[in-house]
Structures are given as structure tokens and as C-alpha cells.
Amino acid sequence: MKQGQIQLLIEERNDLVRKQKAAPSPPRDNRKPIKPPMPEASASDDVGDQAKQTSGTTVQPAEPEIEKERLPAKESSSIATSQRDDQNVASPCETDKYRDMQDLGSKFRPFDKEVGDFKYVRGHVLPPESGVEDLITPCHEFKSLVTASRLDRTKLQAKFASEVIKFASACLNVRTNGTIHFGVMDSKEDKQWRHGQIMGIPVKEPDVYVDALDYIEKTFPVEHEVARFCIRTPKFIKVGGKDSKDQRFVVEVDVVPDSDLVKDRVFQVTLPKYNEKSNKVSYEKKTYYRRIGAKSEPVPEDDVVRFIQKLNSLDEAREKAEQNVTCDGSSLEDLGRKISVLLTDGKKYMSDSLRYILVTNRCTESQRMHINFLTRMNVLCVLDFDPDSDLNGLCSKYKEHHAINNHSLKSYANEDRVSTGDLKKNLSLFNQTSWVFCNGRSSYRGEDEPCDESTWVRTKKKLLKKAITFICDEILPKGYFIVVFLLLSAPEKPIIDTFHEFYTELNGMEYILCIAENKEDYEKWANQAKASCKMETLNQRSIVGMQLSHIDATVQSLLPQSSSIRQLSVSTKGVCTLTTPDEERMHSLQVLCTNECDNTNLEDLSKEQIEEIETTFYRGGKVTWKHFWLAEQGKCEAFIEREACTDVQRILNDILYENRVRLPVTRIKIVHQPGSGGSTVARQILWKKRRDLRCAVMKSSFPVMTVCQHAVNLREYEEKDIHLCLPVLLLIEDCDNEYIDDLRDELTKVMVSKRIAPAKLCFILLSCKRANAPENLLRFSALETVTITHKLRKEEKMKFTKKAEKLQKKFSPESIITFILMSQEFVEEYVTNFVHNVMADIDHSSNVTRLIRYVALLKCYVENSYISVSHCEAFMGLDAHTPDQSALREYNFNNCLSEQAKLIFIKRVDPITCITCIHIIHPHVAKEILKQLPDNPQSQIAMSLLQEDVLFRHRFGRDEFLGFVRDLISRRRKISRGDSVDTFLSPLIEQICETENNQEKAINLLKVAYERFDKDPFLAQQLARLHYKYKKFDAAIHWAETAKSQLPNDSFILDTEGQVYKNLFSFLLEKSNNVVPLEEVPVFIEHALKAMQCFQAAQRAAKGETETMNNAGYFGEVEVGCRLLKLLSTLEIFPQNENDKSHELLRYLLSDYIPEVIKKPWSKFHMRLKGLHRNIFNALEWISEDLSYFQTDKIDDNEEKRKGEEQVYSPRTWLLHKIKVFSKFFRSQLLPSSDDNEDEEVKNSINKLIQKMNIYGLGGGSTSTILSLLPDHKKLSNIVDLYTRCSADLDDIDLISYIMSHIALACVAPNSTKLLTFQDLRERSKRYQNPRKSFPASAYLLLMLLYWKDDIIDREPDAKKDQILSSALQNARRLHQNRIKDVPVRKKRSNVLFFLGHGHGLYKLLHRSKVEKQMEGPVNEWRLKLDDGEVSRLESGQKLLRTVPGFAENGKIYVTGHCKKEKIEIVPINNSSVPYGNENVTFYLGFTYAGLVAYNIKVQD
């Protein structure tokens, strides 16, 4: 229930209570009333059920004595009982109150018309009874019939017939139309009720009243046939009301004395009367009746002759009156002006920011010719009650001009309770017009069938209510849309219900209007709509009687002249037409046409409009296509081209004309500091290329697949040969690299599937991304990246200074402030002075100033942040729910802003929702504003922001606002995202901790945010991080456990808990200077083991997360484990020898031995400490394998900055270091022999592990570490030696390392005498050919390396070798799929370890490092260069690699195996290079943990 309704009801209740206290209360009747059956109606049909229901105590008055009749005793009890059934009739107290609240005047049902949807409202008052006026205007008479309606059939019929016939004969005799109403108060003596008040009567059987008129033949002795024609059948009009408990009706009988029938006739009647004594109906004497005033009176006997003599003059008057019947003679409204005002919300034109919600019904063919105005209005959605609309109704016409989305009410009702954002995406709101079929769709094959009214009320009415609530509460703020009821045919109950719902949700008619060409349709609609709204208001907001063709022309006159045809370039150097529906179907793109803005009439653009376009840009707004067009026409200042624009053009021209790229999809990157003009440069490129390419800007928030499909459609639009299409230049702004990479991959796949030539350029992705430190992103792809900063080059500086001087002569400084700041390179002094001048006289206590602080804080820390104007209006008290302030809210928002706010705020309109937002003109200005608020530190501003209930509870744009505030509190900065630094916490939190030097404020701020965001576990996680950073470990443990209690299976939260205990353990060690008394050691061990336990839990959780790969738990476990080993090695109970080795510690960790001194104190740790070696070893193995599986190398020039996160930025270096530290504790001289057999067995086991650790310490424990030793062939040689000594007893892992060390040594020292032969290595690998056992992925890599066909060794066909190779490939792919889960392959690209070179045996295997050295870059860059064709210039690189012959079949690459009939599939690195037919190909072969891959695939001539 809305606020205004609640207030009215509270006032009503208070008045009722006061009246009850002033008057004696009637006796309470606790007996339950008996409800008679409802004829053809249900309670849900009441008009009253459209209003909001409320609970409360209602005092019912005693039933007034109406139509006092003498009744026999035997009926008195039934009448008394039935009187109790009337307690829900509107009481006089209620009537008085309603009269105070609104006009209760009601209109009569249209005379001699069908009832249709017409209804009366209980308690409303009809005009008083009337007599003869002009013979055509009906006279009216009221009868309550409340008591008589409970009589039995015979008595009721006699009573009803007597009243009807008396009234009818009187009307017939004076030749006037008339209506008698039953169920309307006529008592003037009972002052508790108003004359003409509607109360209704229960009607159990309508035929009782219809059959009662059979008395006509008995009571009209002579003229009964004429009387039967002139007296109409009774009509039953439903009576609704807000307190309806049963269905009541007003029964009406119309009398129409047609002149042709009644001429020269007089009507005498004998009225029926029930005789109580005889229990029979008797008849009164014959009598003539006539209308005198508002009564039907008998004609006195002495006046009969004179009465009959006057009939001739009455007949003439009747004939004349019938001939002179015309339309209503009231003065005609200026409907043209009225519709203009209502549709534009009082403006002179239709604003693009104003949306329309259309509610309509069945449309005829002739009407469809005149609805063109709808196709040009900004229609958000249509609620259509015509089930055939898409076949032959309004929808069929509309979709000729626009793309639409068809929906049912169920789609909008959100019964699945998805989030508002997801529901908007599912409905594709704002992208295309939503057509909601509110009563089913005949052509739809699904479950949405049309139904009758009663079924609709039962099944769909609740869906309608939910849909309207969603539209009004979640989609757009009030004032941003107008609801238009377009009545094209007779309205039915559902469309009336729709009005009641919109009226309730919008708190009135302010944003609702009705258009009806047919007056009768409007009357039916209005007579039922008045249950919610006064008739006067309805008429004010309605356009009635205006021809649809006139409406069409009038509305179109409010719109700009029809746009000219939009055009696209085509491959034949001509143009094609882009139709509106086709463009709207590509709704994720903003298409830039070749003739963009050419339809603009310069004469229609005023000087003020042009200046507004310019100043919006020069104050920091985004440049528009119209601005470029005006500059070309010389109507505004020309644009300055920064040198970056030339750089981008050069790269683009190289791609287009120099054939530098041989890929279907390529990318150019613009990385710019916020506010440095990067977006303008990107749009300048598109504007210049719009006639050579097909250009578009990608809108935000669309799935990759959607954008991909639309981009492909744009490329192929109106082109016959898809192989010759022009490339598409697609601008993508502020998207992360993952999204762009996904889009690139999907576009490539589509082009491959369409068999576009691999070297054909199809798409150029022009990405434009903000970054505080653009240079940090330049190094990753320098050839395709252009950076833009605030720093101007010398030539640019001159151009900007000159233009700034010119603009200052034309505009005021504040209207071009951002451009002036830009020309000054945003130097700190200039920005400081500007902000100082702005803030000098500001009122720091005002709401507007608070708003400035909030917007500045968001702008400073959150990219692309803003606050919607709707939020601002609510914040400043211009609430959309306050009707009397709506004009102020809508039109004078700017007047509420201070002069300072107008200077530093700039508005932007969301291109999708058209919602207006505000933000600070530039991030530097926002930062300086915060600086110059010493009395309002950022912690205080952020705290105040979090406590602004109005902002957080405001519905519209809520998700976006919450997202900005959440990022403000919790989002960290990353150099990998273009930030200048990596931050441990959000920059705001770190600023509060460091600059304000107040950790408590930061903690309190996060706590408030935690509560504000409904106890968000990720904010609890941030609290844990903040606490352990500042050594507040008890609180850190509490918050880590709080986060874990809500998300017990989140690997990142579990890792944070591990970090808490890890840092606690490290802190205690540092505090004790790494010297811990033995009695305190258990505390240290407990913290370390708890940390390892948390990290192990994170590892298990990460395995269950299918869309991410979080390996932090493994790194954490290794770090804590190594630190714990170091602690144990320093204890006195584990004495060290001269080599700093402790045999005692080895025995404790690797056997059952436990020193006595710690047996009891460490009792709960022994088992876990003895598993320490195995746990650390397994974690290192997992990390090592992961590094072998996936590319992880990072390029970084500032290693000092990254030292704290070595495992992230240099994982291989970290791994080697940790392996060395770990193995140090287990490397030692072998333990001496013993005579005790059992002790000897333990020593042998320990010695075996020591030997393994000695190898491990050299880096020989895994494939990853062995291959990282390639520069050090001596160490590799030593590893081979150590393995050879124990080669007879190697486990699976060690044997893999042994064989891999030979392969690695052969790469760097092919002449080493320590190398086994190739055949020996094959022989040793037989263990991994067992199909019943699973082995590590490195084992299958070995089989691929060893069993790839060798030209010398494998000259003879061997099916067994093919089987070994195929099985290894199959298992490798299976393990890779398990490892990568659902993570996109491009996020975890396979790491190529070896390439196939020339030679044979081990010498044909080239490690990637050798190829990288020749290519002067990492292998991924080398791969791209291959695809770009540049590697062909490097002959030395070509000579290293062997060209492998193969063949393409059905889009896959194969090679023949050891046997010609066996084919082995090779996965292409670049799918676009795979030919379409069955072709012979050549390629370079790579070996990975995931299988075999092919580079640089070429069709063999």
C-alpha cells in the first residue's frame, strides 16, 4: 500500500473513532451473516477489489427502516436475518467521511444501452430523482427494495411489477423516457441515508425480476402489446465497493415511449398487490398515471378527459423531440493541444528521456492504418489484451517498423524470484519494445492461451499485479514514463483492472492518460475506473472523441521530421539501407552509419542547442556523433586531433592495407588516463572510417555470444557474398581483457565455421580502457597499444592553448572548465586553485554539499561511478511519492543545486535506460575536492554515505549504486588492470589507515559496510584481512570464521582464514626473534598446523569450484610448512651436526620415533607433524604440475615491487626457492647401519628419502623444475648421476623425473656420456603403458615425446606404438579436462614445453626456451607472430622447427601414425587456420600436458 493511501485511511479511521465515541454504539451482533449465492458473479469481480485492502475495525450501523411494510409474523425472522446481511452497506458515517475525501457523485448508466462493463460503486450518490424535461432526457425514480428483495418469489414479483408498471405507465402517458432504479435509496425521512445513495440489493435469481414483467399483459387491459415493446427488460448493474463482502446489484428498467408506437394511445393499468389474508395477488382498480415532478401520480377522475385531450400535443412534442436528437451540444475541447500537453508531460516536444507504457485492446484493420505515431514514440512496453494482436492487430503493424520481444504476464511476474538486474536482462528491457500479451497469444504454441473474464481473474490477475508492480517499482522512476491507455474497442474487466493497478502504484493519475476515439468505449471504461479516481480527474487526463487519424497526425507533429534512410557501406563501394527493425535486432551495438546525422536540419537547430552540445563536451561529457557532424559542417569549433589519433590510424592502416595481420579478428588497444581524451580519440577513428568500414560501438553489459552474433550480422548485412564483406570496426570501452578475449575467440570460431579464408580480416576490435598508469599495460603488447595521458606533447600543447583562448571568448569559463584543465595538463596547482575558488563560499551544512562529497568520493576511487538523478532527488527531498512536489522534482532539479554543484557536476544519460546520472567533471577535480575538506576526512564522508538510508533504499538504479559503494569499500587495485600499484585492501581503506593514520576508523567503516550489505561474507573477509595486516589477530580470527560460517566452501575465504593463522604464526616467531622456549613451542605449532589445515580446506574447496582455479591454498601450505620446519630445526631437542643437519629431527618426522621430552606436551601434534613432509611434498608437486600445464609467465620490469607476491608474478622462481628450502631439512648424509633389523628397516626408509631429497634439492624432483635447469647443464648432469645410482628402485614420480632429466640434458648437452639411449628410455617408460592404472600427466607427456614417430628408429609400421601414443593422448586430454574444469581455455592456455625439431631420437626435441631465444620473446608472442606472418622473416627460427605433414578432415587436423591407416588428431592453436575441405597441410608440432598442438597450419600445394 502506498504512503498516501495509508495516510488517508489512518485519518478516516481516526474520524470514525471520534464519531463512535460521540454517539451511542449499536449492540454488537456476533452472529455470522448468511451470504446468498451470487448470480453469475464472484466477489473478485467487484470494482472495489481493485483498491488496496486494509484491515481495521469497522463499526456497522443498524439497518435503517426503509420501505416500512407490514409483514406477517412467519416472515419476520427471515427478514431480520437477511437484514444482518446488509451490514456491509456503506454506513452513514463512512459516507460522510468519503464525502469529505472525494466527490462521491456518480453518473447514471447510459440510457437504453447494454450494461457491458458499467458498474456502480456502493455508497456513491446518483443525481436526484427527476421529472419530465425534454421527453428525451429520461426521468428517474428510486426504490430501495432492500427489505422486499428478501421476500418469496410471488410477493417480490408483485411488488416489483407494481412499481415498474406504475412508473412505466406514467412515462408512457406523458411520452417521456424514464428509468426506475431498484437498490437506490429513496427515503427522505431517514436522515441517516442520502437520497440517491447506491446500496444495491442481492439478486439470487435474475429471472424473478425478468418474469415479473409478465404482469404487463394482466395489468394493461388494452395497450399491453405496445407497453411490452416500450418497457425494456430489467438490467442488472453490479455494485462494487472497497468493503464488499457479497455481490449486489442495482436493477433498472428503462421505458422508451417511441412516438410511432404510443401515438394516439392512452395507458390505463390495474396494479398488482399481494393480499396477505388470501395469500393471492389481487389487482387494484383501473387507473391512469402521469409524471408530476419526480413522482408518478394517478390522474384524478375529474381530470381524465382533459388529460386525454392533451395527448395530441404530447405526441407532437415527442415526434419533434425525436427528430431533434443530436450530439451533445457542449463546447468542443481543444483536443489537439490537450493531447500535446499530456503526451509530452507539459513540454513543447516529446523528449527522448520520456518512455511510454502502452495499454491497449483489440484493434480493427481500419484503425491499424492510423497508428504510425506509436511506431515513432519511445515505447518501453505494451500491455496488449488482444490475443490475436500479432496476427492481425496492433502488434502485427508495430513489428513492421520495430523489432519486438513477445512476453506473457508470467514473464514479467518474476515468479522464479530472480534478481531485478537478471530479470531486466532476461526480458531484454530497453533494447527492444516488450510486447506483453496480457490475455494469452493465439498463435503461441506454449502455455499461454486466451481465456474468458472469470478465468482471467482467477489465473492471470495476480500476474498482472506483479508485472505492474515490477514496472513501477523496479524499471523506471516515476516521472520517466507515462502510461497510455489506448482504447481501440469496448473495454473489458481486465483492462479496467490494469488501470486500478497503475493508479495505485503511481498514487494517482499524474502519469496516466487515456485515449479513446469512441465515446461509448470511454464511458464504459470511465464508469468502472471511477471506483479509484474522481470522474473529473479522469476527464482531465483523457482524450475522447478525437479521430484516430487526427491523433496520428497531431502526435507526429510533436516529433522531429522523419529520419532519412540510414545507410551502410558495402563491399562493392556503394551503400545499402539499414532498416530500423534490423538495427534494433542488433541491440548490443550502436551502429554508426555512413550518413549519420545527415538528416539533421540545420535550420531547426538553434544557436543555444549547438552551444549546449559543445559545452557538454568541453565540461567533460562524452563526444556525440552530432558534434562531429556539426564540426564538419563548420557550425562549431573543429576538434583537436591528439597524436595518439595519428598513432591509432597508422596501426589501423597497417592492418587494413599492409596485410600485416593474417587473422580474421585483430585488436587495437587504446589505454588512457581518465579524462585524457581516450574515448574522443576512439570515436574520431570511427567517424573517419565510417564510409570505408562498418563501424559500431558495443554497448555494455551484454553477453559475449550476443555481441558476437550482432557483430556477425552487421558484417554480413545485405551482402551477397560473405567472403567479400567489409571489416567491422567495433569500439569496446572499459571492458576487461577476459571479456574481449572471449569475444575475439567467439568471433574467430564463427568465421571458421563459415569457412572464411583464414587470412581474411573480418573484425577489428578497438578497445578503449581507462588506466591510472597506462604505461604498465603498454609492455604486454606494445605493437598494438597506444597510450594517452594528461601530458601533452609540444605541438598538442600549442593547439590546446590556442583553442582554449578561442573558446574563452565564446563561452564562460565554467562551461568549458574541463577543456581548460586539459589544456593545462591537469597540473596540480591549476586544479587546486580551481577547486579552491569553487569551494570558497560553499555551505558545508547543506544537503547539496553532502551530495558533492559523496559523488567526489565515488569518482575518486571507483571508475565510471555516478549517482542517478533519481537518487539525488530522493536525497534532497524531491521524493517521487510526493505529488504536490512533482513539478519541482521534475522541472526544477537544477534550481535545487548550489552554484558550486552546477560547476563541478556534469550529467550523463544512460544510453540504455535513458536514466540521467551525475558525476564530477574529472577524477582530478574529485580528488582535489576531497583534499580541501580537512574538516570532513574521507573516513567520515564514507561513513556518512553508508548511513544514508534514503540512498540505499531508493529502488531505481539500486544495483548500480550498491555496486559502486561496494567497490569503494572492497575493490583492490591491480597493476595487471592498469593501476599504478597493487593494493592489499581497497585504496580508500588503505588511505584511511595510512594517510589518516587511523586503523580503527577503517575497521569501523568496514563493520558498518558489513551490516549495510546484509552481512556480506566478503566484507567480513576484508575485515579479517585488515585486522591481520595490523596484527589484530583475535579480531581477524573472528571475522575469518564469520565469513566462513556463511560460505563454508569458498576457497578464497578459506584461504584468508589460513592467512590469518599464517600471519599470526609468523608474527609470534618474529616477536621472539626465532628463539622459542620449548615450553612455548606447542602454541606456535598449533597456529602453524591450523593455518595448514585451513589451506588444505581451501585446496579441497577449489577443486569443487568449476569456474575458477584458485591455487593459493597450495602456496600457503608450502610457506607455512617450510617456516614450521625451520622452527623445529632450531629446537634444542633436535641437535644439529657440523653440517647443520639433524638426524634426530629426521627420525622424528619420518619414523615412529618420539623424544620423551615432547611425547606428552606435543601429544596432539605428533601424527600431523609426521605427515608434514608428505603434505608439503604433495603441495609442491601440485604447484609444479600446474606450472607445467598452463602458461604463467609474467613480464615485469619492477621486480622489487613484486617481491611480496613472488608466487604470483614469478611462480617458477618461487617454486625453485621453496623446493630448495624444503629439501634442505631432509638432505643429509645417510644414516649409519644398525644390527637391529627393525631399526635398520626404518633407517633404510629414511636413507631412501634422503637420497630423494638430495636430488630434489638440486631441482630434480619434477618436470617443471628439471626444465627450469636447462641453463645449468652441470646440475642436470649431477641429477642424472644421482638418479642412476638408485635407478633400480624408483617410484613412478622419480622415474618420470629420471627420464625427463635425460631429455633435458640432451637439449643442452647432446654429447654427454651420461645419456641413456632413446631405446633405453622407451624401455623404461613401459611402466606407464599399463591401461589399468592411472599416472600423472607428466607420464603421458613422456610417452608422447618418446613414441612420436622417429624417421630413423621407427621405419617399420608398428600398431603397438600407435596404440601407446593414442592412449597417452587420450589420457592426457582426460586429465587436462579434469584440471581445467569449466574455466575458459584462453584463461588457462596450455603451456608448450617442447617442439618437434630436426634430427632423431632425443635430438629432435626442442625445448621452448631455445625457440623463445630465437624469436626474442615468449612462446605466446612467438605464436602470434607466426599467425601474423612475421616469423617467415626469421630464417633462423624456421630452421629450428620441423614441418610436419598432415591432413585436414571435417575441420580437424590429423597425422598418420606409425601405421598409415592410423590417424592421430592434433589440436590447432589457431582454429581459424584450419582449412574447410579435406586438404593436405603442414604445421609445426608442439608437446603439452594437454596433448599435441599444431602451429602455423598451411595448406600444402
Side-chain angles (χ1 to χ4, degrees), residues 867-1020:
I867 295 182
S868 72
V869 169
S870 178
H871 272 86
C872 299
E873 290 168 347
F875 179 73
M876 292 191 294
L878 306 179
D879 194 352
H881 297 298
T882 310
D884 58 352
Q885 289 186 353
S886 62
L888 177 66
R889 178 185 56 79
E890 179 66 18
Y891 302 112
N892 293 326
F893 170 67
N894 284 337
N895 294 338
C896 298
L897 297 178
S898 63
E899 291 302 316
Q900 294 88 349
K902 292 177 183 178
L903 276 175
I904 60 177
F905 280 164
I906 186 169
K907 290 184 181 180
R908 64 180 287 265
V909 178
D910 189 290
I912 297 177
T913 64
C914 292
I915 292 179
T916 306
C917 316
I918 61 169
H919 59 91
I920 302 292
I921 56 176
H922 197 277
H924 281 29
V925 175
K927 187 176 181 180
E928 188 60 35
I929 289 172
L930 296 177
K931 261 191 190 179
Q932 296 190 24
L933 293 171
D935 297 331
N936 298 96
Q938 294 179 26
S939 58
Q940 181 180 326
I941 298 172
M943 183 66 79
S944 299
L945 174 61
L946 286 171
Q947 294 171 341
E948 295 289 357
D949 289 343
V950 172
L951 294 177
F952 279 89
R953 292 175 182 171
H954 192 66
R955 295 188 303 269
F956 303 102
R958 186 171 185 267
D959 290 345
E960 292 80 2
F961 176 75
L962 293 181
F964 294 146
V965 179
R966 187 190 298 275
D967 286 348
L968 173 71
I969 300 298
S970 62
R971 184 177 175 84
R972 294 187 283 167
R973 285 185 177 168
K974 293 287 184 184
I975 293 177
S976 59
R977 291 199 290 254
D979 294 317
S980 55
V981 294
D982 286 324
T983 60
F984 183 75
L985 299 162
S986 78
L988 172 65
I989 298 299
E990 293 200 345
Q991 193 273 345
I992 294 171
C993 293
E994 296 167 8
T995 306
E996 296 184 22
N997 195 25
N998 197 323
Q999 292 94 39
E1000 285 303 317
K1001 282 187 178 180
I1003 290 170
N1004 291 334
L1005 183 66
L1006 272 173
K1007 285 181 179 178
V1008 172
Y1010 172 73
E1011 295 294 334
R1012 169 61 75 184
F1013 286 95
D1014 300 323
K1015 301 186 185 303
D1016 187 332
F1018 295 108
L1019 289 174

